[in-house]
Amino acid sequence: MIRYILCLAAVLISALPLICAAAGGGKGREEPEGRSFSLKGLFSRAACLIWKRLPGALLSLPLISGSSSALAMARRLYPGMDMASFRKKVQIRRIRLIYSIFLAAVVVGSGAWILAPHKGIGGSLRREAADGKTRTEDITAVIDGQKEEISLDVAPREYSKEERDQLMAKTKKYIDKELPGKNKSLDDVRYPLVFVSSYPGENVSIEWECDDYNLIDQDGSLGDLNGVKLPARTAVTAIIHYSTYRTEYRKSVRITEYLQTEEESLRGRLLKALKAADQASKGEDYLTLPVSLDGKKISWEYAGDWPAGAGILLFIILIAAVLARENEHLKNELERRSQMLLDAYPVFVHRMVLMLGAGITPLKSWEILLADIEKENRGSENLSYLRREMRYSLLQLRSGVPEVSVYREFGSRTGLACYEQFCQLIVQSIKKGRKGIGDMMMNEAQDAQKRRRDTAKKMGETASTKLLGPMMMMLVAVIAVVMAPALLEM
């Protein structure tokens, strides 16, 4: 019941911004998008609510406000944009992404925790039915904050099978193989023995008895050998059960040396207490786990019941991947902008040279060219970035910014050497007159046309290469059609 309450509380607290947004919060001038009722709009309003309440120190983190390189790319993509508004929009969008991932992680994690098996809650493990098999449960003992993972075999409530002598012989060979454990042989025992509790793949259970429990414990670990003269010889007996059949298998053991750590001692005492509890509740429906050890309280958990560390790591990786994808999108858009500006350069240079050669001033030529581009390419993206850059430059000119500064800034904003070079020619014509500059502009226009033809030729070659795959497929289809009649007549 506590598990359900905790999960419900975690989901409600995490969804509180979403609930407030659905109730009408988060609206106003700060909301960038999602004003209509939709899932995206709801999360946008929730992100606005979170944005309003986050301190400035958190909003300035690169995780939320974006890296400086991303902001620099945005300035190039959107000239003249109010960077404060853009940064605010980026912050709200990133908060929306982080919050949606966080809420999904809380909901999925809570559902997984609720649906996780929780048998044995209260200190008991249910046994299988009488015709069932032994199952292994991975549990964790918590003693004063120290955890110890145990792999416990829970036997069925009652065992009944028909005996097989041949199986008993195989079981004894299996015991001979597993009993020494890390030891070279039973005549030179230095490490704990391996007391197997069953024969794999068969309903065979094995119990162990030791001649001297001071030397060898019930679980095969070596006891407290302080004061014991070594080497010491003793024996262990495997009691093999298969249905109603019972046989004993005795093995002689010679202990030569053993160094026991505190952790091994704790584990040995814990296993001994579990074995005693198992024996005490052999005929009951539940195996009652011990509640204390050496006067210390024990609380039990399933080992790996909730992989919180893996969930947190996955959450961080997912957020990083989403934000990295956003930066990659800006980078791809910037590359696309450069390519489109490069493709539009011949049109820009050719028309500007014609108008400047006809005696039209650079400012008037700029206005005419921008009007033509907007008219001819309405609804098209071929010249969208050039139109955007020229429109911003025209706004600067009309607002009183000196022509020379505007043209130089236009060339540097494009980030392309060809634009910078041509704008430098315009600046020279304004400062020194057009004597000698016209020929240089005409040469630049011719070079632009040549680059345009070279680019078109290169694109054609690339397109022909891409067509090789479909052409090969068509060739195979044609060969199949031609060869099919001949093959059918054979």
Side-chain angles (χ1 to χ4, degrees), residues 159-200:
Y159 198 88
S160 60
K161 286 289 181 177
E162 192 176 349
E163 72 173 296
R164 291 182 183 173
D165 293 336
Q166 184 179 0
L167 181 58
M168 293 300 103
K170 293 181 180 180
T171 303
K172 292 177 181 179
K173 290 182 180 180
Y174 177 70
I175 291 174
D176 290 338
K177 178 183 176 182
E178 299 293 331
L179 182 60
K182 294 182 179 180
N183 299 289
K184 295 181 180 179
S185 68
L186 295 180
D187 287 331
D188 185 13
V189 174
R190 301 170 183 267
Y191 302 99
L193 300 176
V194 178
F195 283 179
V196 292
S197 60
S198 62
Y199 181 72

Side-chain angles (χ1 to χ4, degrees), residues 121-330:
I121 297 300
S124 59
L125 297 173
R126 175 175 288 277
R127 296 182 180 277
E128 299 291 339
D131 58 348
K133 295 183 179 181
T134 299
R135 74 177 190 276
T136 301
E137 296 285 4
D138 293 328
I139 55 178
T140 301
V142 182
I143 307 173
D144 287 345
Q146 181 181 354
K147 293 187 177 182
E148 186 67 34
E149 294 186 0
I150 302 294
S151 182
L152 179 63
D153 292 331
V154 181
R157 184 174 63 87
E158 186 180 353
Y159 198 88
S160 60
K161 286 289 181 177
E162 192 176 349
E163 72 173 296
R164 291 182 183 173
D165 293 336
Q166 184 179 0
L167 181 58
M168 293 300 103
K170 293 181 180 180
T171 303
K172 292 177 181 179
K173 290 182 180 180
Y174 177 70
I175 291 174
D176 290 338
K177 178 183 176 182
E178 299 293 331
L179 182 60
K182 294 182 179 180
N183 299 289
K184 295 181 180 179
S185 68
L186 295 180
D187 287 331
D188 185 13
V189 174
R190 301 170 183 267
Y191 302 99
L193 300 176
V194 178
F195 283 179
V196 292
S197 60
S198 62
Y199 181 72
E202 300 290 347
N203 286 331
V204 173
S205 61
I206 305 172
E207 297 178 357
W208 293 88
E209 291 184 355
C210 306
D211 286 3
D212 191 345
Y213 285 98
N214 293 323
L215 298 178
I216 301 178
D217 211 338
Q218 185 68 38
D219 61 349
S221 61
L222 303 186
D224 186 4
L225 301 179
N226 293 328
V228 178
K229 185 178 179 181
L230 297 178
R233 186 170 290 278
T234 183
V236 295
T237 303
I239 305 173
I240 306 172
H241 296 273
Y242 188 83
S243 187
T244 57
Y245 182 82
R246 178 182 183 275
T247 185
E248 296 184 359
Y249 187 50
R250 186 176 177 85
K251 300 293 292 186
S252 178
V253 177
R254 181 174 175 266
I255 303 173
T256 57
E257 183 183 3
Y258 181 61
L259 298 175
Q260 189 177 40
T261 63
E262 179 62 29
E263 182 180 353
E264 290 174 337
S265 177
L266 174 63
R267 184 179 181 87
R269 296 196 305 273
L270 189 58
L271 288 172
K272 184 177 180 179
L274 285 171
K275 189 65 177 180
D278 180 63
Q279 293 293 334
S281 59
K282 198 73 174 177
E284 300 177 5
D285 291 335
Y286 287 89
L287 190 158
T288 303
L289 302 174
V291 296
S292 64
L293 181 67
D294 299 335
K296 298 179 180 180
K297 184 179 179 181
I298 304 177
S299 60
W300 295 94
E301 301 174 356
Y302 274 92
D305 190 28
W306 169 237
I312 293 173
L313 180 61
L314 180 61
F315 174 69
I316 294 173
I317 292 175
L318 188 58
I319 289 179
V322 171
L323 298 183
R325 180 183 177 276
E326 185 177 0
N327 288 340
E328 189 66 23
H329 172 72
L330 282 175

Side-chain angles (χ1 to χ4, degrees), residues 349 353 421 425 436-451:
V349 172
V353 169
Q421 182 176 351
L425 293 177
I437 303 298
D439 294 336
M440 296 175 64
M441 288 187 173
M442 190 61 66
N443 292 334
E444 183 65 24
Q446 293 175 357
D447 290 342
Q449 290 292 340
K450 182 179 179 182
R451 282 197 293 268

Side-chain angles (χ1 to χ4, degrees), residues 29 273 288 347 353 402 482:
R29 287 179 298 178
T288 303
V347 175
V353 169
V482 173

